[in-house]
Amino acid sequence: AQRVTQPEKLLSVFKGAPVELKCNYSYSGSPELFWYVQYSRQRLQLLLRHISRESIKGFTADLNKGETSFHLKKPFAQEEDSAMYYCALNTNAGKSTFGDGTTLTVKP
Amino acid sequence: EAGVAQSPRYKIIEKRQSVAFWCNPISGHATLYWYQQILGQGPKLLIQFQNNGVVDDSQLPKDRFSAERLKGVDSTLKIQPAKLEDSAVYLCASSSRTSGNEQFFGPGTRLTVL
């Protein structure tokens, strides 16, 4: 069965510092990976997906199949990045699995 | 476009009572998901529909939980009877292949079982 692990429950950085949220997965097939974000009092929403290879709000994520990782990175964190971040995996059959999330706090 | 709608937003019941949640997905989205999110954990998939057929319900406690998606649009999730450990936020999401399988989430229903 597939699994998504986010090893850090809480992550705190200062504004302007680099930030990396870790995501590791286990799945025998070719996964489709996503990062979702939930800002305070808002709905869970997509931040980015690996197949688009785009940068959203300064965040990027690279799929590393060798290390089975999909870490989320931003070179200069902003206070408005404070939120809950979830890594998610879709299997070939479309089944969805989420990690337990990382709460990011960006301090002024 | 209108987002995913869920109701009620909050529900408080006593254990052994029954409860039902409703979800209206984004128009045209064939895939509908129900998740259970316990405090401090990520969303756990309970059931996934493709149109009105079940794709996956391996984590649905079928002795007490049931879900249906008649006509492949709206969906209801029912718990009968509820237990204390069912206290959680129940999220509904929908997606389509044309949206790249991006899931659009509703606001959730916060259930408290006393």
Side-chain angles (χ1 to χ4, degrees):
Chain A
Q2 66 279 1
R3 186 178 178 88
V4 175
T5 303
Q6 293 180 250
E8 303 134 332
K9 272 269 189 212
L10 303 170
L11 187 60
S12 182
V13 301
F14 283 102
K15 176 182 173 181
V19 63
E20 181 180 49
L21 290 86
K22 292 184 169 54
C23 172
N24 294 96
Y25 68 90
S26 63
Y27 176 55
S28 56
S30 290
E32 193 175 10
L33 286 153
F34 305 82
W35 276 99
Y36 285 84
V37 61
Q38 188 166 27
Y39 300 104
S40 179
R41 298 188 183 85
Q42 293 188 27
R43 302 182 184 199
L44 201 54
Q45 61 186 285
L46 179 69
L47 180 62
L48 53 80
R49 70 193 92 190
H50 89 270
I51 57 172
S52 58
R53 301 183 66 82
E54 57 194 344
S55 173
I56 302 292
K57 298 184 178 182
F59 284 97
T60 59
D62 290 318
L63 176 59
N64 186 323
K65 292 187 177 181
E67 295 183 359
T68 59
S69 68
F70 187 56
H71 302 329
L72 183 68
K73 300 176 184 179
K74 184 169 183 176
F76 307 104
Q78 302 299 313
E79 290 180 68
E80 55 265 31
D81 296 329
S82 295
M84 189 76 171
Y85 291 81
Y86 294 96
C87 183
L89 177 153
N90 274 19
T91 66
N92 298 137
K95 181 178 176 181
S96 180
T97 301
F98 278 73
D100 282 337
T102 297
T103 301
L104 174 65
T105 301
V106 181
K107 297 179 285 187
Chain B
E1 67 185 359
V4 175
Q6 288 187 249
S7 68
R9 293 294 310 278
Y10 305 91
K11 189 74 177 177
I12 300 174
I13 61 173
E14 294 188 350
K15 60 183 179 182
R16 291 188 289 275
Q17 286 187 320
S18 62
V19 65
F21 312 127
W22 174 82
C23 174
N24 181 230
I26 291 174
S27 177
H29 280 194
T31 309
L32 185 147
Y33 312 78
W34 280 105
Y35 292 91
Q36 179 192 60
Q37 186 171 23
I38 292 172
L39 189 64
Q41 299 180 19
K44 182 182 88 170
L45 182 67
L46 292 176
I47 188 167
Q48 179 177 338
F49 291 95
Q50 182 74 16
N51 295 307
N52 60 351
V54 175
V55 172
D56 187 289
D57 63 357
S58 57
Q59 299 190 95
L60 186 74
K62 299 179 185 63
D63 58 333
R64 298 184 300 107
F65 286 64
S66 64
E68 59 182 12
R69 191 184 183 196
L70 300 176
K71 302 180 182 177
V73 182
D74 293 9
S75 177
T76 55
L77 176 70
K78 296 179 182 177
I79 307 175
Q80 182 179 14
K83 292 185 176 181
L84 297 177
E85 58 261 36
D86 298 332
S87 294
V89 174
Y90 290 84
L91 294 167
C92 179
S94 68
S95 71
S96 71
R97 288 203 179 277
T98 56
S99 69
N101 292 325
E102 171 185 355
Q103 293 184 49
F104 293 83
F105 284 83
T109 297
R110 183 175 298 277
L111 173 67
T112 301
V113 182
L114 302 176

